Amino acid sequence: MVMSFRVSELQVLLGFAGRNKSGRKHELLTKALQLLKSGCSPAVQMKIKELYRRRFPRKILTPSDLSMLHIQAGQLPAGAGLTQGTVCHLPYEHGAAAPPALLPPVPVLGPKHEADIQHLSPPIHPVHPDVKMKRLPFYDVYDELIKPTTLASTNSQRFEEAHFTFALTPQQVQQILTSRDILPGAKCDYTIQVQLRFCLCETSCPQEDYFPPNLFVKVNGKLCPLPGYLPPTKNGVEPKRPSRPVNITPLARLSATVPNTIVVNWSSEFGRNYSLSVYLVKQLTSVTLLQKLRAKGIRNPDHSRALIKEKLTADPDSEIATTSLRVSLMCPLGKMRLIVPCRAITCTHLQCFDAALYLQMNEKKPTWTCPVCDKKAPYDALIIDGLFMEILNSCTDCDEIQFMEDGSWCPMKPKKENQEVCQAAAFAGIEGMAALLTDSLASSLYTVSSDGKNSSEGKKKVEVIDLTLDSSSDEEEPPAKKQCPVSSAALP
């Protein structure tokens, strides 16, 4: 009972017993427990039961409640028929100790995992549900400081509040302090961090980070900065925060003697509950993840050859037969030649992207989306393509290759187009372009006319217009509407 008391209740109890009631919650709790161990008077025992009854008022028990209360056979009063709708009278009034099975379960969490016990009112939520958080590629988990704990709505008010406490061991404090300033270019950052995570209270599969609405977090009395809201996708839609963990190391007390407190405020939603957890993690860089990816090994080139043959196999139902497949050796992310060609196992395309660039982009903004097909490409699904590694090593002077039906390939040389006219136009300017057009027009017309009887007659018929001259004075079009003979839009 005492373990479930709040600060105010502990102070009332200690004051009633004539003990010192000043200090923090964990100190008050220690004093109250010592009071019990030393053998307190019946009056103090009655006071504890009275405070407990105020905190957890009697309620009608249902069969689901009974399973929560772990009631074992033989512990119920004789003749008590606890069916749905039966009121269970807890024997506070008689001065006897209540059977432990009839009291709401109060987990003895201790100072490390102490959580604010939720009211025993329907619906009952487990304090520590079986929630598993999704593993984040850029973090290695060292320890679980607060295991996933339900932020249950009490349905009594719009805004909820919950209190949590965790303590660090001397070894953990040492780990954090010695990891300072290892990150290049970071300001007094720690690579080993205390990480706060929120998610939906779902046990069906590992959960992604998900913030409760109107969330405010205070760590040791200081407001914790949270990720900014994303721009709303549609009008009228409530803005969401990006799904990511919160580093609370700067606000944590890096001490093995003083515990850390977290106060969470959020808006309750009907039918939706959230979970909070705190971990000790090590932050990894994109360089480390690239080394891990390389260490996994390069995928056998035969896998890609089989994929090529599958794509180029003639479909009897199709009228168009694909006999070759062109693939670029340029990364779609950086528009540069691939260095470490990779793609996700789940991708059906042959086109690769550069692993180093992909990891760097996800380090800044973790989306884990394939830049080629826009499907999910998580870190664990990435593979380095052995066939593309062979091609990149043997073909250094081309940016595109062509695959044949048998899985073989040949380089595609870039077409060198004759760009003399374009270059001349670019350097000579508008006047030069006009002169070029005049000459080419005259010569083409002359060639056409020379097919006739007399070339001199053809020449007479040709009227050559010099585009460099101003338009004639007798032109009807007003001067305001005059246009440049060759506009920049006409340039090839």
Side-chain angles (χ1 to χ4, degrees):
M1 289 176 174
V2 169
M3 284 293 289
S4 69
F5 284 178
R6 291 171 291 202
V7 173
S8 57
E9 289 146 359
L10 290 168
Q11 286 173 338
V12 169
L13 176 63
L14 291 168
F16 181 82
R19 301 290 177 94
N20 181 5
K21 57 179 185 180
S22 62
R24 294 177 181 275
K25 184 178 179 181
H26 68 280
E27 294 166 350
L28 297 175
L29 195 57
T30 309
K31 288 176 193 172
L33 292 172
Q34 281 171 353
L35 181 71
L36 278 178
K37 284 174 189 170
S38 61
C40 53
S41 64
V44 174
Q45 286 182 19
M46 288 298 290
K47 191 68 179 174
I48 291 170
K49 289 167 190 168
E50 182 196 326
L51 290 166
Y52 189 84
R53 193 168 61 223
R54 274 192 220 156
R55 182 81 198 280
F56 299 107
R58 282 183 240 154
K59 62 181 284 292
I60 292 173
L61 290 181
T62 62
S64 61
D65 296 343
L66 297 183
S67 63
M68 278 296 299
L69 299 178
H70 310 295
I71 294 178
Q72 295 164 8
Q75 287 186 319
L76 291 179
L82 286 172
T83 54
Q84 188 165 357
T86 306
V87 179
C88 174
H89 293 281
L90 300 183
Y92 290 123
E93 289 80 4
H94 308 300
L102 290 177
L103 300 177
V106 180
V108 182
L109 301 173
K112 186 173 179 183
H113 296 304
E114 190 182 330
D116 193 28
I117 308 306
Q118 303 299 328
H119 287 266
L120 195 68
S121 59
I124 299 172
H125 303 285
V127 176
H128 295 309
D130 227 1
V131 173
K132 293 276 183 291
M133 293 294 294
K134 199 169 251 187
R135 197 179 75 80
L136 299 172
F138 283 102
Y139 298 97
D140 277 345
V141 177
Y142 279 13
D143 202 0
E144 197 176 46
L145 301 175
I146 297 179
K147 59 184 178 180
T149 306
T150 307
L151 295 174
S153 303
T154 57
N155 298 330
S156 59
Q157 52 197 20
R158 175 84 175 103
F159 293 99
E160 305 284 349
E161 184 173 292
H163 297 250
F164 300 88
T165 313
F166 69 92
L168 297 166
T169 65
Q171 291 83 0
Q172 289 167 347
V173 172
Q174 195 59 33
Q175 275 180 311
I176 296 170
L177 291 172
T178 52
S179 75
R180 192 169 188 170
D181 279 338
I182 293 174
L183 279 176
K187 291 181 185 175
C188 299
D189 210 349
Y190 298 95
T191 50
I192 295 177
Q193 302 169 354
V194 180
Q195 188 183 77
L196 173 65
R197 296 183 74 178
F198 292 91
C199 70
L200 286 169
C201 201
E202 283 283 333
T203 54
S204 54
C205 60
Q207 294 296 300
E208 290 187 351
D209 291 83
Y210 195 96
F211 290 102
N214 301 318
L215 179 70
F216 290 94
V217 179
K218 278 188 176 180
V219 180
N220 297 319
K222 292 178 185 171
L223 197 63
C224 175
L226 300 170
Y229 285 101
L230 295 168
T233 48
K234 288 184 280 186
N235 287 338
V237 176
E238 194 173 332
K240 277 176 62 180
R241 296 182 190 275
S243 304
R244 62 185 62 170
V246 183
N247 176 18
I248 59 170
T249 321
L251 301 174
R253 295 191 183 107
L254 301 181
S255 159
T257 54
V258 188
N260 292 272
T261 58
I262 300 172
V263 180
V264 181
N265 294 87
W266 78 101
S267 293
S268 62
E269 290 179 288
F270 181 73
R272 179 177 273 190
N273 287 298
Y274 298 89
S275 182
L276 168 145
S277 48
V278 178
Y279 303 92
L280 186 71
V281 298
K282 181 181 182 181
Q283 187 176 13
L284 307 176
T285 62
S286 57
V287 177
T288 314
L289 289 194
L290 183 61
Q291 288 168 352
K292 280 187 173 184
L293 185 62
R294 283 178 182 274
K296 274 200 323 190
I298 296 171
R299 199 180 200 201
N300 194 312
D302 292 338
H303 280 280
S304 296
R305 288 196 185 98
L307 189 62
I308 294 161
K309 288 174 186 174
E310 187 186 320
K311 283 182 177 292
L312 295 179
T313 303
D315 183 3
D317 298 332
S318 175
E319 294 178 3
I320 303 165
T322 311
T323 55
S324 65
L325 200 65
R326 290 172 69 167
V327 178
S328 174
L329 298 181
M330 304 291 279
C331 173
L333 288 168
K335 309 299 179 194
M336 292 165 65
R337 191 177 164 86
L338 294 166
I339 299 169
V340 185
C342 95
R343 64 173 179 272
I345 297 174
T346 49
C347 291
T348 55
H349 51 80
L350 279 164
Q351 181 67 55
C352 291
F353 47 84
D354 191 75
L357 272 175
Y358 184 69
L359 293 172
Q360 282 170 26
M361 287 181 74
N362 280 288
E363 188 176 18
K364 298 288 179 200
K365 188 182 177 183
T367 55
W368 300 104
T369 306
C370 174
V372 180
C373 64
D374 282 338
K375 289 179 183 171
K376 284 289 175 190
Y379 176 71
D380 293 332
L382 298 182
I383 50 111
I384 297 175
D385 193 303
L387 180 61
F388 273 79
M389 286 295 279
E390 285 180 6
I391 293 166
L392 288 164
N393 291 334
S394 59
C395 180
T396 54
D397 59 341
C398 76
D399 296 332
E400 199 173 25
I401 53 158
Q402 188 167 358
F403 287 114
M404 306 304 172
E405 286 180 65
D406 59 351
S408 62
W409 61 276
C410 63
M412 297 284 293
K413 296 285 181 190
K415 291 178 183 177
K416 291 183 179 178
E417 294 177 6
N418 188 8
Q419 297 175 337
E420 289 174 13
V421 175
C422 295
Q423 286 172 358
F427 289 112
I430 295 295
E431 289 184 9
M433 186 67 186
L436 275 169
L437 285 171
T438 308
D439 293 345
S440 60
L441 184 68
S443 60
S444 63
L445 287 171
Y446 175 73
T447 310
V448 171
S449 63
S450 62
D451 292 336
K453 291 177 183 179
N454 193 346
S455 62
S456 59
E457 287 176 14
K459 277 185 188 177
K460 287 175 186 176
K461 290 177 185 177
V462 170
E463 186 182 345
V464 178
I465 302 164
D466 191 347
L467 297 173
T468 59
L469 299 175
D470 290 336
S471 53
S472 56
S473 56
D474 59 349
E475 193 173 336
E476 292 177 2
E477 195 172 335
K481 290 190 178 179
K482 283 183 188 176
Q483 293 180 346
C484 179
V486 181
S487 67
S488 59
L491 287 172

